[in-house]
Amino acid sequence: MSEIVEVPLPGREYQVRIGTGLLARAGAEIAPLLHRKRVAIVSDAHVAALHLATFRDALTAEGIESVALTLPAGESTKGWPQFTRTVEWLLEQKVERRDVVVALGGGVIGDLVGFAAAVLRRGVRFVQVPTSLLAQVDSSVGGKTGINAPQGKNLIGAFHQPALVLADVGVLGTLTERDFLAGYGEVVKYGLLGDAAFFDWLEENGRAAAGGDLAARTHAVTRSVQMKAEIVLRDETEQGDRALLNLGHTFCHALEAATGYSDRLLHGEGVAIGCALAFELSSRLGLCPQEDPSRVRAHLAAMGMKRDLKDIPGDLPAAEVLLDLMGQDKKVIDGKLRFILARGIGESFVTSDVPREAVLGLLQEQRAAC
Ligand code: GLY
């Protein structure tokens, strides 16, 4: 059983297929894209140990040959050294312009391999096979690819849309609860930014999804991907509406920088805290009903997720330092911070019109409670 979300970008249309058993029938899913029956797969050590054999067997069953490169697992892979290694390996494997490269893994692999595919021979097609919830609902769809620079995350990259995305929700069963819930931070984001009915559904069904209910997982991923696809179609290169996908991210990026991009705070955990703070700020500015921030926080609490600065282990810098770190965000334009705020649950908007004192006051209160 699988759901299909179409991403009909003119000339680069593709499908996101979401469901169970997709990995085991990957050969049949991918075969129609191939000019010759051979693909190059890039994965990481952690994912390869769990899923590479299943994936390759599925290719073999359709007579598709494969070669595979396994990179080290972890965010530090997403830089020039492993990127160079990947591009050179793809050239050594004689991957041609009409061939297909497969990214089998989470966001790090998807972003790095997508960027390698974007530049290899000036662009080859690639298939995303996301294995984390975060990658299934966000990074594998929409064509943002890239690597980190010493100056910051995701600062080097290209827009390069995949030719197909296979999101097998069955593989989410191998995630730790913490990793699942971190990805769920991005799922909640979709409800909060543009679909109040989906947020209602998450309040009802989020626990079932976290507990392993495959129908609930399929729906959560499908609705998230539909929303992402709609936004990417309106604004592929983030000139406007695509920034809505960054709800919670301005706070999140500051908190990730303050915690050294470490295990103290996973990206999706920072997004969840950032969403709670964005609603709190919206309420204080009189933009959304006062009860909305409590409702957001209540759902995160019911899911057992972090929602305040005090939930982050270890010391955090002063509020002024956090505010300064927010100023390093990629979304700063002409020195002005762009925030995604909300008029209510499911009604977010982009603004640069946020008084510094309001943000500082909120961060000071949150810091004082730590
Ligand atoms: N992850 C945000 C975006 O794809 O625009």
Side-chain angles (χ1 to χ4, degrees):
M1 176 206 68
S2 66
E3 301 284 340
I4 293 178
V5 179
E6 305 280 351
V7 187
L9 286 163
R12 288 158 304 137
E13 41 285 293
Y14 59 96
Q15 292 187 337
V16 184
R17 300 182 194 148
I18 302 146
T20 52
L22 285 163
L23 220 62
R25 51 172 204 277
E29 302 281 340
I30 292 173
L33 296 176
L34 304 180
H35 290 287
R36 58 172 173 162
K37 289 197 152 193
R38 185 169 188 271
V39 297
I41 307 162
V42 183
S43 190
D44 73 33
H46 179 68
V47 171
L50 293 166
H51 305 301
L52 184 59
T54 309
F55 188 76
R56 292 185 86 172
D57 287 351
L59 297 175
T60 308
E62 295 296 318
I64 302 168
E65 257 180 63
S66 63
V67 287
L69 172 68
T70 301
L71 302 177
E75 185 74 26
S76 59
T77 289
K78 213 175 123 174
W80 285 120
Q82 297 298 337
F83 176 76
T84 306
R85 179 179 167 198
T86 302
V87 172
E88 291 181 357
W89 178 80
L90 290 168
L91 291 171
E92 277 159 23
Q93 299 307 315
K94 301 197 170 29
V95 172
E96 296 175 4
R97 190 79 191 275
R98 281 155 41 112
D99 286 339
V100 167
V101 175
V102 176
L104 173 68
V108 167
I109 289 296
D111 286 4
L112 181 146
V113 177
F115 185 36
V119 297
L120 190 80
R121 302 188 193 279
R122 298 204 178 88
V124 300
R125 291 168 305 151
F126 80 116
V127 173
Q128 289 269 22
V129 187
T131 55
S132 68
L133 180 58
L134 191 127
Q136 293 192 352
V137 298
D138 186 37
S139 57
S140 67
V141 180
K144 278 190 183 174
T145 70
I147 55 173
N148 302 329
Q151 290 81 359
K153 280 182 76 172
N154 295 325
L155 293 182
I156 303 156
F159 285 99
H160 186 53
Q161 299 291 340
L164 174 68
V165 182
L166 296 178
D168 186 334
V169 298
V171 305
L172 302 179
T174 58
L175 298 180
T176 63
E177 189 183 15
R178 186 177 179 200
D179 281 330
F180 183 89
L181 289 178
Y184 187 84
E186 297 276 1
V187 175
V188 172
K189 177 195 80 175
Y190 287 105
L192 295 176
L193 77 86
D195 187 350
F198 184 45
F199 186 74
D200 294 346
W201 184 90
L202 291 171
E203 286 180 318
E204 287 286 312
N205 299 284
R207 279 303 328 156
D213 182 320
L214 290 173
R217 286 184 171 188
T218 302
H219 181 72
V221 174
T222 303
R223 185 63 196 126
S224 300
V225 170
Q226 281 169 343
M227 293 186 67
K228 177 142 193 189
E230 282 163 20
I231 291 173
V232 168
L233 281 177
R234 290 205 298 271
D235 176 23
E236 184 184 3
T237 55
E238 201 167 318
Q239 309 303 311
D241 267 10
R242 187 163 179 162
L244 294 173
L245 295 170
N246 293 322
L247 176 63
H249 283 63
T250 307
F251 287 108
C252 170
H253 289 153
L255 295 172
E256 283 185 292
T259 50
Y261 300 97
S262 69
D263 206 33
R264 280 172 65 198
L265 184 74
L266 304 179
H267 175 72
E269 294 175 333
V271 171
I273 296 174
C275 286
L277 294 178
F279 269 78
E280 186 60 44
L281 187 57
S282 302
S283 161
R284 287 179 185 203
L285 295 172
L287 295 165
C288 79
Q290 279 181 347
E291 54 276 16
D292 283 357
S294 318
R295 199 175 151 201
V296 174
R297 295 175 71 261
H299 179 54
L300 298 176
M303 293 297 294
M305 294 167 70
K306 295 182 174 64
R307 53 211 174 270
D308 289 302
L309 263 51
K310 68 174 164 44
D311 301 327
I312 302 171
D315 291 336
L316 285 175
E320 290 74 7
V321 176
L322 290 173
L323 191 61
D324 196 44
L325 288 170
M326 291 170 89
Q328 314 284 337
D329 196 274
K330 283 204 295 302
K331 291 181 294 303
V332 173
I333 296 180
D334 296 336
K336 278 199 146 186
L337 265 180
R338 265 198 310 166
F339 274 93
I340 320 302
L341 296 182
R343 295 195 180 85
I345 286 176
E347 293 175 64
S348 65
F349 63 98
V350 186
T351 177
S352 301
D353 191 19
V354 179
R356 187 180 181 278
E357 304 69 48
V359 186
L360 187 61
L362 174 57
L363 290 171
Q364 279 167 338
E365 270 176 43
Q366 285 267 322
R367 274 289 286 108
C370 284

